[in-house]
Amino acid sequence: MRFAVEAWDPSYGASVESELNESAAEVVLDVERPVQSWHPIDPDPSVRPPAAVLFVDGVRRVDAQVWVEEQEGQASPALCASYAAGAVCCCRDGAHLLPPEVRRGLFSTAPEADDIATGAGTYQAQRTDERSGVAPGQVLSSALQRALADTEFAAATAARGGHLAPEHPGADGDLDDLLVLDGSLRGRQHLPRTIGYVKTHHSNYLPPQLAAVIATLGAGQRTPVFRIEAPWRRHTWYLRLPCRPGAPWAGVVRVECSAELPAADVVTLASRSQVTLGRFASAEYKDSRAPQNLYPIAGLERELRRRLGDPNLLYRALRRAAVREREAQPVAVA
């Protein structure tokens, strides 16, 4: 019996679902070349890596599940969470962290929700609407994810803003940079010179005869560019990072960019991704999600999690704040 062991740590789930969901999205397959000419594309030797690569990512953590009292005997569930986003710039000066953004929020559907001040920081109230047929926990988790996405967008914008000196290759106005957002590009696809980096696969967007091309990719090779029309439009392609031979999808990532770009610009971005991303691919003995978990993203995640603060300290601070609020409430006298 022949078999292959994937390097991806199973505690993170699977990098590729055992059965990919067949996507119902309309797909345009001939963006770069006709369907009959689909085959693995080698890196273009004339394409040079950008002078600066900016990696953006975010992390989130629920510090406590709480209840917000609405009236006597009634309360609504809520989440107290910490989340952060930041960027790492890899350029001629090496790899360096740009100033990250750390936030804390109280996510609730209760109109009475208000900021919670603790000795370890303030959880700003962020009210969200209830959704019919959706569990409260899912509503709150989605609200937290939206807040994290907004913070990642702010980090991505700041990465090309005032944090860099004018002569820096990643500074605003310098076109020789590439912004890599960990995860889907949705909601941020208008950012210039930007790609989304998708490590895990849940859906199959290609017909069987073209999906078979993915399994034949060598290290550094990619599929031709195609376009997904729904539920939101974007150009995309599959790329295999350097890795040991193994399962058909080992080391395969999907890269996205804006659907509004001309085809020639999209192909340029795809070619740049080939000569750029593989340089940062992780090794099995250093990372349990190798090679897809790129070194700058892994390092950024560790630093952001550290900056979220000690979860035990924050939990105790929330408990003390809850007691303080109760003691401050006037006692009704009959």
Side-chain angles (χ1 to χ4, degrees):
M1 179 186 72
R2 297 181 59 188
F3 67 99
V5 178
E6 188 174 7
W8 189 276
D9 186 343
S11 64
Y12 289 98
S15 62
V16 183
E17 296 293 338
S18 56
E19 272 193 45
L20 293 174
N21 297 319
E22 292 296 330
S23 174
E26 179 185 350
V27 177
V28 178
L29 299 169
D30 58 354
V31 173
E32 183 175 3
R33 58 183 54 187
V35 171
Q36 58 270 26
S37 299
W38 264 57
H39 58 75
I41 298 176
D42 291 320
D44 185 343
S46 67
V47 175
R48 299 176 58 189
V53 187
L54 302 161
F55 295 91
V56 176
D57 196 11
V59 298
R60 50 178 274 186
R61 185 187 67 209
V62 175
D63 295 327
Q65 295 182 335
V66 301
W67 293 87
V68 175
E69 294 185 3
E70 299 183 70
Q71 52 184 315
E72 189 66 31
Q74 292 187 357
S76 295
L79 296 179
C80 284
S82 299
Y83 52 103
V88 168
C89 178
C90 297
C91 62
R92 59 173 176 255
D93 298 327
H96 49 101
L97 178 71
L98 304 181
E101 182 78 19
V102 181
R103 301 177 182 177
R104 309 195 195 281
L106 167 69
F107 298 88
S108 173
T109 59
E112 292 79 2
D114 199 0
D115 294 355
I116 299 178
T118 78
T122 298
Y123 289 79
Q124 295 185 329
Q126 301 198 37
R127 188 183 178 281
T128 187
D129 293 328
E130 297 180 6
R131 292 165 56 189
S132 177
V134 180
Q138 185 176 345
V139 171
L140 299 177
S141 180
S142 297
L144 170 56
Q145 189 59 37
R146 289 194 298 272
L148 176 59
D150 291 342
T151 310
E152 290 177 349
F153 177 77
T157 303
R160 285 185 171 135
H163 295 318
L164 301 176
E167 67 275 8
H168 191 284
D172 192 21
D174 191 325
L175 302 182
D176 193 19
D177 69 351
L178 180 66
L179 186 65
V180 181
L181 294 174
D182 188 45
S184 173
L185 200 59
R186 186 169 191 170
R188 300 165 290 186
Q189 59 267 33
H190 61 284
L191 292 170
R193 308 182 303 285
T194 300
I195 58 175
Y197 179 78
V198 182
K199 297 191 289 284
T200 56
H201 309 281
H202 304 287
S203 299
N204 181 20
Y205 297 101
L206 296 173
Q209 71 273 20
L210 299 185
V213 174
I214 299 171
T216 67
L217 294 175
Q221 290 183 324
R222 65 173 176 87
T223 65
V225 173
F226 59 102
R227 188 169 65 248
I228 302 172
E229 294 292 337
W232 63 283
R233 301 178 72 240
R234 71 271 201 199
H235 287 110
T236 190
W237 59 93
Y238 290 97
L239 167 68
R240 192 186 298 273
L241 300 173
C243 64
R244 292 193 306 174
W249 284 60
V252 172
V253 296
R254 187 171 58 80
V255 188
E256 300 178 342
C257 72
S258 171
E260 306 307 318
L261 291 174
D265 292 347
V266 175
V267 172
T268 298
L269 272 177
S271 298
R272 273 208 145 179
S273 73
Q274 286 180 272
V275 300
T276 301
L277 298 179
R279 299 162 54 207
F280 303 99
S282 54
E284 293 178 26
Y285 70 93
K286 287 189 175 182
D287 196 298
S288 58
R289 288 181 286 171
Q292 292 97 314
N293 201 35
L294 305 180
Y295 282 130
I297 292 175
L300 177 59
E301 285 181 347
R302 286 193 299 270
E303 179 60 22
L304 291 176
R305 292 191 189 283
R306 186 184 70 81
R307 296 193 181 216
L308 290 184
D310 184 276
N312 295 321
L313 185 152
L314 290 164
Y315 180 75
R316 290 195 297 269
L318 284 165
R319 293 288 297 268
R320 287 195 293 269
V323 171
R324 186 175 63 247
E325 286 296 321
R326 285 190 175 278
E327 292 176 345
Q329 295 297 319
V331 179
V333 179

